Amino acid sequence: MVKHVVMFKFKGTDEERLAVAKAFRDALVALPSQIGQLRSIEVGINVNPAETWDLVLTAEAETMADVAAYSAHAAHVAAVALIAGHKEARACVDYEV
C-alpha cells in the first residue's frame, strides 16, 4: 500500500486561507466515493497558529500507479482547481507501508 501525504500553504489573510482550506477539504473528502483507486483520504486543517502550513492530506492507494490514476481523475482535477491562484507552496511524500 502507498500513503500519499501532501501539505499545502495558501496565500491571503488568515480568513481567506481558512475559507480556501475548508472548500478544498470538503472536495477532497468526497473523492473516495468517486475514485476507485483511492482507498481512503484524511484531510486536516491546521489549528496551530505557530505553524505556517494550512492543510494536510493523507490518501491511501494500493500502488503508485493507483496514486497516478487518482491524481489524473477528473474529480481530483476539479478539487485542485479550487485552490488555483491560492496555493503558495506544496510538499508531497509518497511511501510504501
Side-chain angles (χ1 to χ4, degrees):
M1 179 173 45
V2 175
K3 289 212 179 196
H4 174 69
V5 181
V6 188
M7 293 190 315
F8 292 90
K9 187 182 298 189
F10 301 121
K11 300 175 189 174
T13 65
D14 290 347
E15 294 78 18
E16 291 167 336
R17 291 182 7 250
L18 180 58
V20 169
K22 286 180 177 180
F24 191 39
R25 176 200 58 205
D26 293 348
L28 290 170
V29 297
L31 294 180
S33 66
Q34 301 171 56
I35 303 173
Q37 295 88 345
L38 190 57
R39 290 184 54 164
S40 67
I41 194 165
E42 180 179 45
V43 182
I45 296 173
N46 183 27
V47 296
N48 183 348
E51 299 297 334
T52 59
W53 292 89
D54 295 301
L55 182 140
V56 64
L57 74 88
T58 303
E60 294 181 342
E62 286 299 319
T63 66
M64 281 303 300
D66 289 339
V67 172
Y70 143 72
S71 294
H73 192 282
H76 177 260
V77 172
V80 171
L82 295 172
I83 62 170
H86 300 283
K87 184 174 65 175
E88 181 176 320
R90 176 186 179 273
C92 178
V93 174
D94 295 303
Y95 64 96
E96 294 181 336
V97 292

